[in-house]
Structure formats: structure tokens, C-alpha cells
Amino acid sequence: MARNRYDIDESYEETYDFGQLKRLGKYVKPHAKSMVLIILLMLVTAALGMLFPYFLKVIMDTCIPEKDFTSIVIIGAAMLGISLFTAVAMKIKIRIMTKVGQNIVHDVRSDLFAHIQELPFSYFDSRPHGKIQVRIVNYVNNLSDVLSNGLVNTVTDLCSLIFIVAFMFVINVPLTLVVLCGLPVFVIYVAVLKKRQRKAWRIQSNKQSNLNAYISESINGIRVTQSFVREEENIRIFDNLSGAYRASWLSAVRIGFLMGPFVQIISTATQVAVYALGIRWIISGFSMAGSVVTVGTLIAFTAYISRFWQPIQTLADFINSLLTAVSYVERIFETIDTPVTVCDAPDAKELPPVTGKVEYQHVNFSYDDGVKILDDINFTIQPGESVAIVGPTGAGKSTLVNLLSRFYNPDSGRILVDGNDLQHMTIHSLRTQMGVMMQDSFIFKGTIMENIRYGNMNASDQQVIEAAKTVCAHDFIMQMEKGYDTEVNERGSRLSAGQRQLISFARALLADPRILILDEATSSIDTETEILLQRGLYKLLKGRTSFIIAHRLSTIKNCETIFYVNHGKILESGSHYQLMSQKGEYYKLYSSQFALL
């Protein structure tokens, strides 16, 4: 997949895949009973509402000429009763459908988020995180009304149209045919407008995604921005992206607004035609199929014309919303359909408790086709052995251990733990026996106690404290205002880089892993703390198979095995003293590093 940036629009298929809407049916189905109940309630309301113009006809043609005041009062009371029933029904509809809509949104968002939790690192490497976030939040929100009120209103409006046409045919057939003449014109107009709407809303979707991606990137990089005085440049980029989003939204809305005036024009045109022909037929006494036009008939038809085009306008708006929703649905299901390439095999088994023997057999890996990051890696590590991995930046050191954690799958070859091929073991059973501490020590919003306990949610407070003491984090924690109950911000902005790494050390220790991976784990720790930490590390590493990636070679001298990696290959391996005696690449690296001291 090509790398995607905040200023690059995502691609779309030329045609809509309306089949995606069928997939939404599984989210609507659990709420079918509530929706059917509301539809029936709205149909009763719509049917009763159709009586209003008929009542006017009766009053004009019968009650007034016959001076029947009692019937007028009865009809007025009936109309008041219908109005009260409609108000109560609408309140019930709003309450139930709001709940249904939010439940549907919750279910879609939960499935989307759960799937994202399982996607491999490569998915997140290939797109801005803001573009992922906008799918979970904004796009799903836009589905709420379409999947709840939109469906109910569509069914109700279609049935209302049938009721209206039936009432109009009962009252007067010729005038009904006059009203229906405007319908083919409207259908042709909608068909022409739909293509423009589809393109406009897709563009708007992309511009919204781009803007969200840049906002997310800017917030995460605010320290770098201010350090390099990039505020004005960032504002300029933001203005361009925001301007593009505003222009795309206005364009899409402008096209959508073309629907309303056109419906009003057709409605007015049919009303004029009905008045013109109706008055002429009243004067001439014209009748067809037994239908005679009266003043009451004309007044009733005027009301029915308005009611006839109102649901058509609603249906047109729904089509517009549906076109918008399909753009979002495509993105949502595109994410849900993204294959989980790092997943359990159908025949995967639970990895039994391991001793920590690790074997790489002819392992090859590449992030992009044709560019090998690891090339035919072979080695065997015995249980409890400490392995250091050194080499220049970009040599493939982190990739080597990421394959062991199954953050990625090798292109070819096998990785075995205690003789078990990891491709045939469940990921959960593997990672629960591993501890990984990366260079970027992520701290979650919450207390220090909660952040350390993240490594073992069942650990007691005392176990958390013991882990912190082992890695020399206890003293600085106790110096904070609330000790272990001190609240830290997302990414640990209140903590120094070294403090964040010490907390991550404690988190890894608390997990009590059989295999431990330390990826530049001491890079942000000062020398004095590092000396103290070495004592804790000795306890941490004892009895565990460990892989340590380090640029500070002084921290890995006591490892049983050291791999020098470059160009995707292990060029040298052995203990510190063996490699120094060979005077190869490791010797040069070590000598150059200490020559700078």
C-alpha cells in the first residue's frame, strides 16, 4: 500500500457499491421490532392526517351550505384530537428512534474499533492516524440518522404518498392526473442531480479526512512545532486544508439545495394548473368518470398537493443523505474489511508455558515488495540467554524482534519458541509470555499505579511498588505530590523521558515474561540512573531469555551473545570479548563510540 499523507486524497471507486448498505442490515435487525412499531404508529398518524383536507371539503361543500354548525364543531374536535395524537406519536417516535440510532452507531463503532485493535502495525504505518480516527468518530456519527429516522421516514413517506394519491383519486380523478404529471419531471431531475451529489460528497469526505489527519499530527507534534518556530507555517497549511474542506462542503450543500427549490417550483406549477383547470371546470360544470369539481374539492386538492410534494421532498433529502452515507459506509467497511494479516491460523494452538528457547530459520522480511529488511536470518538462543543486537540505524534491529512478538509476519522462514512454530500458535498465548519495552515509552492518561499495572491487571499494589523499586523508579514516584496515585497526562507529558522509560521498565517487569525484549530501553536514562538500573536489570533478566537493542554498548557488555546486524544480515555474533578479539565491525563500532568519550 502506498504511503498516505494528510494532503493526499484517498481513492474511491468510480461507482457506488450500494451492496455495502445491505451489510448495515445486521446492525438494524436487532432493532427491527422498535422500528416496525414506530412505522405502524407513523402510518396511523399519516392516515389520520390525510383526513384534514377531506374535512375541509365536507365543511365547504356540505356544512356551510346547509348551515350545519354541529357538524363543524364535531369535525373541529376530531381535527384537534388527531393533532394531539400526532404530537404524542411524534414524541414517542423521537424518543425511541433517538435511542435506536445511537444503539446502531454504538454497534458499528464498536465493531470498527475492535477490528482496528487487531490490525497489524503495517496498517498504522501506511496512513495518518487522524484519517483512522475520523472513520471511527465522524463517519459513524453520520450514519445515525440515516439508519434510524431515515429508514422510518422513508417507509412512512412512501406509504403517505400512497394514502394521498388514493384520497385524491377518491375525491377527483382528473385533478389527480394533473398533479401526477409533475412526477416524471421530478424523477428525471433527481437522476441528473444524483451524479453531481455523489461526486461532491465524496470530495467533501476526503477533505474532512485530510483536515482531521493534519489536526491530529499537529497536536502530537506541537513541541517540535514550537521548538522550530513553525507555528505560522502550520497555520498556513491548516488554513489551506480547512479552506478546501469548507469549499467542498459548501459545494456539496449547494448542489443538495438545488433539490428544494425545484420541488417548490413543481409544487407551485401543479397548484397553478389545478387552480386554472379546477376553476374552469367549476364554471363549465365539467366532470369525468363521475367526478365533479366543487369549491371544496379545489380547496382539498390544494392541501393535498402540498402534502403530496412534502414526502417527495423528504425522500429526495433522504436520497441525498443516503449518497453521503454511502461515501462514509465505503470507508467504514473498507477498514473493517482490511485483512488482519497477523492473526491466528485456523489450526492455531495455545503456546504452552515456555522456557525461552528461540530459533530463527531462514527468516526473510520486507515492508515493501522488493526491499528486503531481513535476509535469511538464522540463529538459536538457549533459555535464559541474554542477546544484544547492535548495528547502524536502519539495519533491521527492531524488525528482528518485532517478528518474534508477531507484530509482523515473516515473508518466509520460521520462528520457533521451544520448538513451536509461532505461525501455528495463538498470538495471545505468545504475547502473554513476552514482555516488550519499546524506545517510545507510551504513558496512558491515569495514575502512575495504573500505568505500571497495565503489564499485569491482576497485580496487587505491593507488587506494583516492588516492580518500581526493582527498576529504580520508586524514589522519583514518591517525590511526586500523590506518589503512585499521581495523575499523569496522555503520553506522560509531566514526566521526563527517563522517568517514562523507568515506568515502562516496571510495567514490563510486572508482566513477569519468559521472553523479554528491550528496544533502546535505556536510551533516555542518565548515566547515574543507568548504573543503578543495571542492578535491577540483572534481577529482571535473570532466568529469562532477553533481546536487548542498544546503541550504548556499555550496557550490553555482559550479554552472552551479541549480534552485529547490518543490511538485514547478522554479520557477526559472539560475546563482547570474542567480537573485540576479531576486530571486525563490532570492534570498530565499540572503539569509535568510546573514542568519543
Side-chain angles (χ1 to χ4, degrees):
M1 180 183 294
R3 295 296 184 261
N4 199 353
R5 305 187 339 170
Y6 66 79
D7 55 351
I8 297 178
D9 290 342
E10 298 176 272
S11 61
Y12 276 104
E13 296 294 332
E14 285 299 319
T15 58
Y16 272 125
D17 182 7
F18 283 98
Q20 297 282 26
L21 292 177
K22 295 181 180 179
R23 296 178 60 179
L24 291 174
K26 74 170 187 176
Y27 297 101
V28 177
K29 188 175 181 180
H31 310 284
K33 290 183 179 179
S34 297
M35 296 180 74
V36 169
L37 174 64
I38 294 301
I39 288 173
L40 292 175
L41 185 63
M42 290 298 100
L43 289 179
V44 172
T45 302
L48 292 174
M50 295 302 105
L51 295 173
F52 276 56
Y54 183 76
F55 286 157
L56 291 176
K57 178 182 183 303
V58 172
I59 290 173
M60 295 298 297
D61 290 346
T62 304
C63 296
I64 292 178
E66 296 179 2
K67 300 180 180 180
D68 187 356
F69 183 73
T70 301
S71 295
I72 293 176
V73 172
I74 293 173
I75 291 174
M79 294 174 71
L80 178 61
I82 291 173
S83 297
L84 291 173
F85 176 81
T86 300
V88 173
M90 288 303 297
K91 183 178 180 180
I92 294 173
K93 174 199 170 185
I94 292 171
R95 186 177 72 249
I96 293 179
M97 294 317 299
T98 299
K99 182 178 180 181
V100 168
Q102 287 305 307
N103 286 339
I104 292 173
V105 164
H106 170 76
D107 294 340
V108 174
R109 182 175 287 128
S110 295
D111 285 354
L112 182 58
F113 184 79
H115 186 73
I116 285 175
Q117 298 300 298
E118 298 179 353
L119 290 176
F121 283 8
S122 56
Y123 178 81
F124 303 96
D125 294 340
S126 62
R127 52 184 47 79
H129 294 175
K131 291 194 176 186
I132 301 173
Q133 183 180 349
V134 76
R135 299 183 185 199
I136 302 173
V137 181
N138 303 63
Y139 290 179
V140 175
N141 280 344
N142 280 282
L143 296 181
S144 173
D145 197 55
V146 174
L147 294 178
S148 54
N149 283 314
L151 291 176
V152 170
N153 291 341
T154 298
V155 175
T156 303
D157 289 338
L158 286 173
C159 293
S160 295
L161 277 175
I162 295 173
F163 291 157
I164 292 168
V165 173
F167 270 89
M168 289 195 298
F169 269 117
V170 168
I171 293 175
N172 192 279
V173 174
L175 291 180
T176 303
L177 295 176
V178 172
V179 173
L180 293 179
C181 285
L183 197 56
V185 179
F186 174 77
V187 171
I188 294 172
Y189 183 78
V190 170
V192 173
L193 194 64
K194 183 178 72 172
K195 186 175 181 180
R196 292 181 61 192
Q197 286 178 309
R198 177 181 66 189
K199 182 178 179 180
W201 283 113
R202 280 180 163 178
I203 293 173
Q204 185 271 342
S205 172
N206 267 330
K207 301 309 178 185
Q208 181 184 22
S209 179
N210 293 346
L211 179 62
N212 200 79
Y214 187 70
I215 292 173
S216 177
E217 179 182 289
S218 298
I219 292 173
N220 290 330
I222 190 64
R223 286 175 173 78
V224 177
T225 295
Q226 294 183 359
S227 298
F228 288 90
V229 199
R230 281 267 305 184
E231 294 90 341
E232 292 186 5
E233 177 66 13
N234 282 14
I235 292 172
R236 183 190 65 78
I237 295 173
F238 175 84
D239 285 343
N240 289 339
L241 292 172
S242 182
Y245 169 70
R246 177 185 58 189
S248 65
W249 189 86
L250 289 174
S251 176
V253 170
R254 192 180 300 116
I255 295 172
F257 282 166
L258 294 175
M259 189 71 71
F262 187 76
V263 172
Q264 187 63 42
I265 290 171
I266 296 180
S267 176
T268 303
T270 52
Q271 283 184 1
V272 170
V274 166
Y275 273 123
L277 293 173
I279 292 172
R280 182 175 181 179
W281 291 343
I282 289 174
I283 295 173
S284 65
F286 172 80
S287 66
M288 178 186 292
S291 297
V292 178
V293 180
T294 64
V295 173
T297 300
L298 201 58
I299 292 174
F301 251 85
T302 303
Y304 277 127
I305 289 173
S306 176
R307 290 171 181 265
F308 175 77
W309 288 105
Q310 183 178 355
I312 290 180
Q313 170 70 60
T314 305
L315 288 172
D317 291 339
F318 176 73
I319 291 173
N320 188 36
S321 300
L322 189 64
L323 291 172
T324 307
V326 171
S327 298
Y328 297 142
V329 167
E330 286 177 336
R331 287 293 179 237
I332 291 169
F333 282 123
E334 176 191 272
T335 302
I336 292 179
D337 291 341
T338 300
V340 181
T341 54
V342 181
C343 60
D344 293 337
D347 60 346
K349 301 176 181 178
E350 293 288 316
L351 182 65
V354 301
T355 60
K357 182 180 180 180
V358 176
E359 299 173 74
Y360 277 54
Q361 298 178 352
H362 304 289
V363 172
N364 294 277
F365 178 78
S366 59
Y367 292 107
D368 299 306
D369 293 339
V371 182
K372 276 193 176 183
I373 303 299
L374 297 178
D375 185 6
D376 195 30
I377 301 296
N378 293 275
F379 63 79
T380 299
I381 302 300
Q382 298 302 322
E385 189 174 347
S386 293
V387 181
I389 305 173
V390 301
T393 300
K397 303 185 297 296
S398 294
T399 303
L400 192 66
V401 294
N402 283 339
L403 294 181
L404 178 58
S405 304
R406 285 204 67 193
F407 294 140
Y408 302 91
N409 282 330
D411 297 338
S412 61
R414 299 198 307 163
I415 301 176
L416 297 88
V417 173
D418 286 7
N420 298 293
D421 189 340
L422 296 187
Q423 296 283 20
H424 301 295
M425 300 293 115
T426 64
I427 294 175
H428 182 267
S429 64
L430 167 67
R431 292 179 183 167
T432 52
Q433 300 188 66
M434 295 185 65
V436 181
M437 182 178 168
M438 301 180 181
Q439 184 176 2
D440 181 16
S441 304
F442 194 92
I443 300 297
F444 297 90
K445 182 174 177 58
T447 66
I448 293 177
M449 178 74 74
E450 290 169 342
N451 267 277
I452 297 176
R453 188 176 277 125
Y454 200 85
N456 180 0
M457 299 305 293
N458 297 320
S460 65
D461 289 356
Q462 188 57 41
Q463 288 174 314
V464 171
I465 294 172
E466 287 300 320
K469 287 181 177 179
T470 300
V471 301
C472 307
H474 178 74
D475 290 344
F476 89 78
I477 293 174
M478 293 307 297
Q479 290 173 4
M480 303 188 80
E481 64 269 22
K482 294 183 180 179
Y484 286 86
D485 293 324
T486 301
E487 291 278 343
V488 290
N489 301 325
E490 181 184 346
R491 294 187 177 273
S493 58
R494 293 186 58 189
L495 304 170
S496 69
Q499 289 171 335
R500 291 197 296 270
Q501 287 192 319
L502 290 176
I503 289 176
S504 296
F505 256 119
R507 180 192 296 164
L509 175 61
L510 196 63
D512 192 24
R514 301 311 308 157
I515 300 174
L516 183 65
I517 295 174
L518 305 178
D519 190 350
E520 290 294 338
T522 61
S523 60
S524 299
I525 298 174
D526 60 80
T527 304
E528 182 179 350
T529 304
E530 183 183 334
I531 294 172
L532 294 173
L533 185 58
Q534 289 296 334
R535 302 170 190 170
L537 275 178
Y538 177 76
K539 182 177 179 180
L540 177 62
L541 301 180
K542 188 175 181 180
R544 311 175 198 274
T545 302
S546 56
F547 292 83
I548 305 170
I549 299 175
H551 284 296
R552 281 198 241 172
L553 303 185
S554 59
T555 62
I556 51 92
K557 287 174 61 176
N558 295 325
C559 291
E560 287 94 337
T561 303
I562 298 174
F563 290 155
Y564 181 88
V565 177
N566 198 8
H567 304 301
K569 291 179 176 292
I570 299 176
L571 300 182
E572 297 176 7
S573 66
S575 68
H576 169 74
Y577 298 103
Q578 288 173 336
L579 294 180
M580 288 297 290
S581 64
Q582 293 176 12
K583 296 190 176 181
E585 295 300 324
Y586 177 80
Y587 172 84
K588 295 177 184 177
L589 181 64
Y590 187 87
S591 299
S592 63
Q593 188 171 115
F594 280 87
L596 298 175
L597 298 179

